[in-house]
Amino acid sequence: MNDWFITLIFLWSVLFMGLLTIGGFFMFRKFLKRMPKQDGKSELDWQEYYIKKALPLWNDEAKHLLNELVSPVPELFRQVAKERIAGRISKIALDENAKTITLDHILRGYIIATPKRDHPFMKKKLNQMNIDYAPYEDYFKYADDEKKKFSIFEHSEIVNKEKQS
């Protein structure tokens, strides 16, 4: 009985430490996104700013499409993914002085805000919805990438620099 109890305590300790490590990792990532950049605002501050500013541009059809596009994301992370993608879409629409959010804005923002590791799932979802993403192939290189640490909100500036050179 004593050996069994010690084994149970050991397994519980390993499980507990593993869960704490995983939770700490995600909390640390959220902390880093809340850290102010050179302009005094964090990535999440900019995301909230663009969403609030572009809220009148979102119609019911655009909201429904965004909800459909993020449906493959696990429920636990879906709201975070939706806000990240919506922030990127909103910035694109605001940069272009759009009157409403269109499919073009949604696709560009969706591609850029989706991490490169999730592109196969994203392409599968777009194919299921019969949406042709071929005209947007150039935007895949601007997608969020763990190796290139630039903000997804800097995309417009990066595109302009590439066009000038």
Side-chain angles (χ1 to χ4, degrees):
M1 168 99 174
N2 199 14
D3 291 337
W4 181 80
F5 185 70
I6 297 293
T7 304
L8 184 64
I9 294 294
F10 176 74
L11 290 174
W12 171 248
S13 299
V14 169
L15 176 68
F16 186 67
M17 290 304 293
L19 292 174
L20 279 175
T21 302
I22 293 168
F25 171 75
F26 285 106
M27 287 178 64
F28 186 69
R29 284 183 57 185
K30 186 77 165 187
F31 170 75
L32 288 178
K33 288 185 179 183
R34 273 284 171 210
M35 291 287 293
K37 304 274 190 218
Q38 294 169 347
D39 60 4
K41 288 190 175 189
S42 70
E43 182 91 9
L44 296 177
D45 291 337
W46 281 115
Q47 178 179 299
E48 290 171 16
Y49 169 79
Y50 288 121
I51 290 172
K52 286 180 183 176
K53 191 167 181 181
L55 204 54
L57 305 178
W58 285 88
N59 56 33
D60 290 336
E61 184 181 326
K63 290 176 187 175
H64 176 73
L65 181 58
L66 178 61
N67 286 329
E68 185 65 29
L69 289 172
V70 297
S71 65
V73 177
E75 185 70 34
L76 183 62
F77 307 108
R78 193 172 298 155
Q79 186 62 31
V80 173
K82 185 176 165 183
E83 289 172 1
R84 181 175 172 85
I85 294 167
R88 185 66 205 130
I89 293 168
S90 297
K91 179 170 185 341
I92 290 170
L94 290 170
D95 285 349
E96 296 176 357
N97 297 320
K99 301 289 184 218
T100 186
I101 303 286
T102 64
L103 177 63
D104 179 59
H105 298 125
I106 292 172
L107 286 178
R108 286 188 286 155
Y110 181 52
I111 290 168
I112 294 166
T114 302
K116 287 190 180 193
R117 68 179 179 275
D118 294 335
H119 281 180
F121 304 109
M122 176 185 69
K123 290 176 181 179
K124 180 180 176 186
K125 183 64 177 175
L126 290 171
N127 287 331
Q128 286 174 352
M129 296 176 66
N130 295 322
I131 297 175
D132 180 25
Y133 58 85
Y136 301 96
E137 287 290 334
D138 289 345
Y139 291 96
F140 284 100
K141 68 180 176 184
Y142 303 115
D144 184 24
D145 187 356
E146 294 298 320
K147 294 178 182 117
K148 297 177 190 169
K149 292 292 184 185
F150 65 86
S151 169
I152 61 169
F153 297 109
E154 296 169 359
H155 159 261
S156 303
E157 292 78 21
I158 293 170
V159 171
N160 288 337
K161 285 180 185 176
E162 284 186 5
K163 285 181 181 177
Q164 290 174 356
S165 57

